[in-house]
């Protein structure tokens, strides 16, 4: 996810923050960055505790993986299903700059995903830009996997994590995420590369699910230039702002973290499923990414969802969006259990 349709009543009074200097970057209602580096993130979406309605039959708890970097995650375990479920490590969206594993929209989506897809999900709360520019989020993603590896090791695991670890099969481990989170999942997968089996053992990386991955580039694609429906969850101006705030200072949108096609190496990756929305400004980039991955001899499955835009699965409650979300969860389930 990268931007939201906003209620103008939530606008922040600029005069209240005059002591932090002029605004240098802003996405209305989501993030404001001042000249002195002060960052504001209005509470546009509520953070919620890890409680879940009993009818979903999902147990959720928060775990801390690194107290020094404040790296934590919310874990979801379906109840009453077979043990040895696939393990999914999931990264939320938000243009690398906003969002949380505790946001109500993500909490609800991931709880439903764990229940309907039959998997244990670790939803990661990584560091945000611009206070922590890339590769900080990638480092948090990598360190999360290394932490899971430690817990899964015979000598490294701690008893406090048996409640979720004993329910999953670490030989069925998947990376996943939406928007910026999908970008993180892809770059973490790239970091493991061809030597992933030796690095990850006893974990086994079976595949990656990228939902509307947040990529970019200097040249505009047709879907980026096309008129956007009112209230689109991601606009071109918002995307540009997120990239300015998250990439290393002085980088262009041709940086390989933004545009993976700028330097796509022939690295052997597990099977990848890419979920594309046909009303998303990222549609063309997502399809180009799939084509490039196939040319690099990687196995890719592309799913296209008609009539919906960016982040429909967490932000839009229309009947069509709900139906497409159920389709996506069904495809997700098939992919991780195949």
């Amino acid at each position: 996810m990268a931007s939201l349709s906003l209620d103008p009543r939530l606008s922040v009074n600029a005069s209240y923050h005059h002591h932090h200097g002029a605004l240098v970057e802003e996405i209305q209602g989501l993030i404001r960055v001042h000249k002195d580096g002060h960052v504001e993130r209005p509470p546009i979406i509520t953070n919620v505790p890890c409680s879940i309605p009993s009818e979903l039959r999902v147990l959720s708890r928060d775990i801390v993986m690194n107290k020094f970097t404040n790296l934590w995650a919310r874990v979801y375990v379906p109840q009453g299903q077979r043990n040895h479920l696939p393990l999914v490590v999931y990264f939320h969206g938000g243009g690398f700059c906003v969002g949380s594993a505790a946001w109500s929209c993500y909490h609800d989506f991931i709880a439903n995903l764990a229940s309907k897809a039959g998997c244990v999900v670790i939803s990661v709360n990584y560091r945000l830009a611009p206070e922590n520019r890339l590769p900080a989020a990638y480092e948090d993603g990598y360190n999360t996997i290394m932490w899971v590896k430690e817990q899964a090791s015979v000598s490294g695991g701690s008893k406090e994590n048996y409640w979720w670890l004993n329910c999953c099969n670490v030989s069925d481990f998947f990376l996943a995420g939406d928007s910026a989170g999908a970008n993180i999942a892809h770059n973490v997968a790239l970091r493991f590369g061809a030597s992933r089996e030796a690095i990850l053992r006893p974990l086994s990386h079976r595949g990656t699910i990228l939902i509307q991955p947040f990529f970019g580039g200097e040249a505009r694609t047709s879907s980026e230039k096309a008129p956007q429906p009112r209230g689109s969850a991601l606009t071109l101006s918002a995307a540009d702002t997120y990239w300015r705030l998250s990439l290393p200072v002085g980088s262009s949108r041709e940086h390989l973290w933004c545009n993976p096609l700028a330097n796509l190496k022939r690295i052997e990756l597990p099977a990848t499923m890419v979920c594309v929305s046909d009303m998303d400004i990222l549609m063309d980039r997502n399809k180009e990414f799939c084509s490039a991955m196939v040319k690099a001899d990687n196995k890719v499955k592309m799913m296209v969802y008609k009539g919906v835009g960016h982040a429909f699965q967490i932000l839009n409650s229309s009947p069509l969006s709900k139906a497409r979300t159920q389709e996506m969860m069904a495809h997700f389930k098939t992919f991780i259990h195949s």
Side-chain angles (χ1 to χ4, degrees):
M1 188 195 73
S3 184
L4 300 171
S5 178
L6 302 174
D7 184 337
R9 293 173 296 178
L10 295 171
S11 297
V12 180
N13 188 335
S15 63
Y16 181 79
H17 301 284
H18 67 279
H19 55 285
H20 290 297
L23 278 176
V24 292
E25 296 284 4
E26 179 180 18
I27 300 175
Q28 188 179 16
L30 279 171
I31 188 168
R32 296 158 61 92
V33 182
H34 293 258
K35 187 175 182 180
D36 68 353
H38 177 73
V39 178
E40 302 166 31
R41 294 180 178 88
I44 185 69
I45 295 178
T46 304
N47 286 335
V48 296
C50 51
S51 57
I52 295 174
S54 58
E55 59 267 23
L56 277 183
R57 302 191 69 189
V58 173
L59 176 64
S60 178
R61 296 179 188 170
D62 292 341
I63 55 174
V64 176
M65 293 171 286
N66 189 324
K67 64 180 180 180
F68 299 105
T69 60
N70 196 30
L71 177 60
W72 63 273
R74 183 161 291 181
V75 183
Y76 300 79
V77 179
Q79 303 296 289
Q81 300 192 26
R82 65 179 179 85
N83 287 332
H84 307 299
L85 296 171
L87 173 64
V88 176
V89 177
Y90 193 96
F91 303 97
H92 67 78
F96 305 105
C97 298
V98 299
S100 169
W103 267 13
S104 58
C105 57
Y106 276 108
H107 180 62
D108 294 344
F109 174 71
I110 298 297
N112 276 279
L113 181 66
S115 176
K116 290 182 170 60
C119 55
V120 175
V121 183
I122 298 177
S123 180
V124 183
N125 202 75
Y126 53 87
R127 287 172 292 172
L128 299 177
E131 301 95 325
N132 300 281
R133 289 176 177 265
L134 295 175
Y138 302 151
E139 293 293 335
D140 286 350
Y142 178 85
N143 289 335
T144 295
I145 306 307
M146 292 297 100
W147 180 87
V148 172
K149 171 184 174 178
E150 180 182 8
Q151 302 308 307
S153 300
V154 174
S155 59
S158 58
K159 291 183 179 180
E160 64 189 70
N161 291 304
Y162 285 173
W163 67 274
W164 64 265
L165 191 58
N166 286 349
C167 296
C168 63
N169 180 4
V170 296
S171 294
D172 279 338
F173 150 61
F174 295 83
L175 288 166
D178 65 281
S179 196
N183 180 302
I184 295 170
H186 174 64
N187 278 283
V188 172
L190 285 177
R191 179 163 177 175
F192 294 131
S195 59
R196 64 183 183 276
E197 291 187 9
I199 295 173
L200 291 172
R201 194 175 298 117
L203 273 62
S204 179
H205 183 194
R206 284 273 313 282
T208 305
I209 302 99
L210 308 180
I211 302 173
Q212 305 143 351
F214 186 41
F215 297 135
E218 289 297 320
R220 302 303 193 189
T221 66
S222 295
S223 62
E224 287 174 337
K225 293 186 289 186
Q228 293 299 298
R230 185 174 180 178
S232 293
L234 177 62
T235 65
L236 194 57
S237 61
D240 289 350
T241 301
Y242 282 134
W243 286 120
R244 288 194 300 271
L245 292 175
S246 59
L247 287 172
V249 175
S251 299
S252 76
R253 292 192 304 273
E254 289 307 298
H255 193 290
L256 60 89
W257 292 337
C258 176
N259 185 2
L261 305 188
N263 187 28
L264 189 65
K265 299 179 180 179
R266 287 184 173 270
I267 298 177
E268 181 184 352
L269 294 171
T272 302
M273 182 173 78
V274 182
C275 301
V276 183
S277 298
D278 74 346
M279 296 179 69
D280 186 357
I281 65 169
L282 299 177
M283 179 185 67
D284 288 344
R285 292 199 182 277
N286 290 176
K287 289 183 174 181
E288 289 171 359
F289 171 78
C290 291
S291 297
M293 286 279 283
V294 170
K295 289 180 181 178
D297 298 324
N298 287 296
K299 183 179 179 181
V300 178
K301 185 172 186 177
M302 183 175 69
M303 311 302 300
V304 179
Y305 302 93
K306 301 290 186 180
V308 288
H310 194 77
F312 72 89
Q313 71 281 357
I314 60 166
L315 293 180
N316 198 316
S317 59
S318 72
L320 178 60
S321 291
K322 288 181 178 180
R324 294 291 183 262
T325 300
Q326 294 308 309
E327 290 177 24
M328 178 185 288
M329 288 187 178
H331 294 150
F332 198 109
K333 180 178 181 178
T334 299
F335 184 80
I336 66 174
H337 288 281
S338 61

